[in-house]
Amino acid sequence: MDDVAFQRILDCMALSWTGYRRVRKAVKRRISRRMTEIGAATVEDYLQIIRQDHAERETAGILLTVSISRFFRDRRMWEALGEMITGTDWRKRTSCMAWCAGCASGEEVYSLKILWEELSRATPLPPLDIVATDVNAALLERAGQGAYPPSSLREVDERSKQRYFTKTGGEFVILRDLTRGIHWTVHDFTTSPPPCNRCDLIFQRNNLLTYYDPSIVIPVLKGIAGVLRDGGLLIVGNNERLPAGDFPFKATLAYRSILRKEI
Ligand SMILES: C[S@@+](CC[C@H](N)C(=O)[O-])C[C@H]1O[C@@H](n2cnc3c(N)ncnc32)[C@H](O)[C@@H]1O
């Protein structure tokens, strides 16, 4: 499949060519395999099918997602986030709420649990509930199992590896205690409203702003603004920027991908 054909599929799904440039080879392979399976001889045939058949369109959506993740991806962001949380008055609350949107196999979610646990050792924080969502049910299934290859933990220090994981058959398995308070939910942020209200933290990293067209990005960001508490934090990917628009998110000095809601 050439780039022009691939771009036509991305356009049809309201996805952004810029985001896919570096990962297009693998994604093209998945789409080409699916075209063969369903007997779509040309991209034109395939486009016609995904325009008419809702289930096949959903399958295309899954095949087009990129699920790369790892624990404490962008380590400096996590350090800055820890300092910001310590500086809030959240510890006076009875509970805190986070939404991890597009959480892949759970690496980001468990990183947040580990960070929370570490911060709570110094001064107790309220219990943290996390709604962890992804459009891909198979990834959430793996997330629930909490077992990871060593490569997923390359940004985790030795002490945390020993404290929060057990090693079984070459894999690192997250401690059962850390799985409490996580609600794994299949959810598509482009078609459904946010799955929780009054969030303190929303992670929307390395998916919406990288892979989606502005026609999708803007309403999703408005939905996020609606459920993030005033003073709550929106965390985007290290290389991601918000599009121009009237959003109540302000840059923080702590780190460029941590934004605070201010109204
Ligand atoms: C590249 S991974 C990022 C994982 C994690 N947030 C991180 O930064 O390491 C992107 C994830 O977003 C999910 N995703 C993409 N589009 C989505 C959508 N519309 N709704 C929910 N999840 C989506 C994909 O299935 C994939 O698991």
Side-chain angles (χ1 to χ4, degrees):
M1 181 187 304
D2 63 23
D3 284 349
V4 175
F6 184 54
Q7 279 186 52
R8 292 186 64 205
I9 297 174
L10 293 178
D11 283 349
C12 176
M13 300 293 291
L15 293 164
S16 144
W17 162 248
T18 325
Y20 278 89
R21 239 186 343 222
R22 280 167 51 195
V23 290
R24 67 186 187 280
K25 264 195 186 159
V27 181
K28 276 184 190 178
R29 266 200 302 276
R30 292 202 292 265
I31 295 287
S32 299
R33 207 175 306 133
R34 184 65 186 162
M35 285 173 62
T36 310
E37 279 165 12
I38 61 172
T42 63
V43 164
E44 197 49 58
D45 294 343
Y46 186 63
L47 287 170
Q48 204 167 342
I49 294 170
I50 60 176
R51 279 191 198 113
Q52 288 167 359
D53 180 340
H54 180 70
E56 198 53 46
R57 191 181 176 88
E58 277 193 350
T59 303
I62 302 280
L63 295 175
L64 285 160
T65 55
V66 176
S67 60
I68 303 158
S69 191
R70 61 180 182 276
F71 281 82
F72 293 103
R73 181 178 198 173
D74 189 9
R75 183 89 223 180
R76 281 171 43 229
M77 184 289 288
W78 290 97
E79 286 161 10
L81 181 62
E83 282 167 24
M84 287 195 77
I85 293 172
T86 307
T88 62
D89 60 358
W90 293 358
R91 50 188 86 249
K92 294 182 194 149
R93 303 244 185 91
T94 49
S95 67
C96 286
M97 168 65 79
W99 172 28
C100 292
C103 67
S105 309
E107 298 86 338
E108 180 176 85
V109 181
Y110 293 127
S111 300
L112 177 59
K113 286 292 276 190
I114 292 173
L115 176 71
W116 204 260
E117 194 65 27
E118 286 289 309
L119 296 175
S120 301
R121 280 172 182 260
T123 327
L125 282 169
L128 175 68
D129 275 310
I130 306 179
V131 181
T133 63
D134 202 284
V135 71
N136 188 332
L139 293 176
L140 291 182
E141 177 74 31
R142 278 178 41 203
Q145 286 160 7
Y148 298 92
S151 58
S152 298
L153 278 75
R154 66 173 187 264
E155 294 192 61
V156 181
D157 58 56
E158 265 322 303
R159 195 193 51 152
S160 296
K161 275 185 196 163
Q162 286 176 13
R163 198 173 264 172
Y164 299 111
F165 297 85
T166 51
K167 207 162 174 205
T168 315
E171 286 195 312
F172 287 86
V173 181
I174 196 89
L175 288 193
R176 180 151 291 280
D177 256 14
L178 286 195
T179 64
R180 295 211 183 97
I182 303 176
H183 313 280
W184 305 105
T185 309
V186 178
H187 173 269
D188 182 340
F189 55 68
T190 67
T191 53
S192 301
C196 48
N197 286 315
R198 301 184 60 71
C199 300
D200 300 292
L201 287 165
I202 296 182
F203 285 72
Q204 182 51 277
R205 296 202 309 158
N206 305 306
N207 48 49
L208 175 72
L209 298 171
T210 297
Y211 297 111
Y212 285 91
D213 185 87
S215 62
I216 300 282
V217 172
I218 290 168
V220 175
L221 285 174
K222 290 202 165 136
I224 288 176
V227 296
L228 191 61
R229 281 179 196 254
D230 192 22
L233 303 176
L234 168 64
I235 294 102
V236 299
N238 193 19
N239 297 312
E240 293 179 326
R241 297 289 168 269
L242 260 50
D246 184 19
F247 304 111
F249 308 118
K250 302 280 173 292
T252 59
L253 291 177
Y255 199 67
R256 62 181 167 187
S257 61
I258 306 179
L259 310 171
R260 185 191 281 110
K261 179 174 167 188
E262 285 173 19
I263 44 176

